[in-house]
Amino acid sequence: MKSGFYGLPLILSFVLCTCMAKILILLVHPNLERSKANQMLLDSLPVSDNITLRDLYELYPHFTINVKEEQTLLQNHDVILFQHPFYWYSCPPLMKQWIDAVLEDGWAYGKNGNALKGKKWIQAISTGGSEKAYQKDGFHGHLIDSFLLPFQRTAELCQMEYQKPFLVQGTFQLKEEEFQKESLRYRNFILSHLEEVHNG
């Protein structure tokens, strides 16, 4: 019998592929060519028909977002993952613009706003500062979770399942072998969500 996904019998492999979660990765980095961390994370992504990658700065250099297209993509995926650097304790401006434009009242939240109910919200974030810097007694004086509270509340308002973020920290000091470890960790992180059977 022919082998399919992960070496499983072809028929079983097909069944698993149709049930696996679909992941939408929204890359939001205004200077990707200067970010070794984010480039290596992208290179580590597994090849799968269930993963859709969109570079928002490439798609919308003038911040004019195709709201309906973005909403359709959101509805067609189970996991929404934003990959972005941590800018001034928040996200790059295009991500904020995307949130403001795409997550409309009456669609994502509010009366009859149930389009995203049950979908997962995840952020894969790179920080120049170390994990130690984001402690109460560290340089920034707060845990990174405190800075991410607005995103958590946004997800909750949209009835989404807010997930613990994937963090790559201290990127300014990481050595080559540490970048490789983080890339492998990201690949396994993506696979773990990809392999969750979608019951919807």
Side-chain angles (χ1 to χ4, degrees):
M1 182 179 292
K2 292 184 178 180
S3 294
F5 197 67
Y6 293 146
L8 294 170
L10 195 57
I11 295 177
L12 179 57
S13 174
F14 174 77
V15 173
L16 287 177
C17 283
T18 57
C19 295
M20 291 171 65
K22 293 184 178 180
I23 303 176
L24 176 61
I25 300 177
L26 299 174
L27 173 66
V28 199
H29 201 307
N31 298 297
L32 182 61
E33 67 281 357
R34 293 165 52 186
S35 175
K36 182 175 182 178
N38 278 274
Q39 288 181 7
M40 293 191 72
L41 292 182
L42 290 176
D43 289 342
S44 72
L45 290 175
V47 177
S48 172
D49 291 337
N50 284 38
I51 296 177
T52 302
L53 173 64
R54 288 170 66 79
D55 183 340
L56 294 188
Y57 270 96
E58 182 177 284
L59 290 167
Y60 305 121
H62 303 297
F63 284 49
T64 304
I65 295 170
N66 186 331
V67 172
K68 295 305 178 185
E69 182 177 357
E70 295 299 319
Q71 290 178 345
T72 298
L73 283 162
L74 291 175
Q75 288 183 302
N76 291 337
H77 291 79
D78 311 302
V79 178
I80 315 302
L81 188 151
F82 300 89
Q83 181 180 325
H84 65 91
F86 206 45
Y87 275 13
W88 283 103
Y89 308 113
S90 187
C91 62
L94 181 55
M95 181 171 165
K96 181 60 168 64
Q97 173 73 5
W98 185 97
I99 290 172
D100 290 344
V102 176
L103 304 184
E104 292 181 317
D105 185 8
W107 185 83
Y109 69 97
K111 186 178 181 180
N112 299 320
N114 302 311
L116 304 178
K117 185 176 181 178
K119 297 182 185 294
K120 292 185 177 180
W121 173 300
I122 306 175
Q123 287 165 262
I125 302 171
S126 56
T127 71
S130 66
E131 180 180 0
K132 184 178 179 180
Y134 287 94
Q135 302 295 323
K136 290 183 178 180
D137 59 349
F139 179 79
H140 298 291
H142 299 274
L143 299 175
I144 199 163
D145 286 347
S146 299
F147 297 115
L148 296 178
L149 183 57
F151 300 106
Q152 180 178 342
R153 283 298 303 133
T154 299
E156 292 170 349
L157 185 64
C158 296
Q159 303 179 74
M160 299 177 72
E161 298 178 10
Y162 180 83
Q163 306 288 298
K164 184 176 180 181
F166 179 93
L167 301 174
V168 180
Q169 299 187 265
T171 57
F172 296 156
Q173 293 83 35
L174 290 183
K175 298 178 181 179
E176 183 65 29
E177 58 270 22
E178 292 171 314
F179 276 118
Q180 295 292 342
K181 288 180 180 179
E182 292 301 289
S183 295
L184 179 58
R185 189 168 67 89
Y186 190 49
R187 177 182 177 82
N188 291 334
F189 177 81
I190 296 295
L191 284 172
S192 70
H193 286 282
L194 186 66
E195 292 168 357
E196 292 178 354
V197 175
H198 175 57
N199 297 316

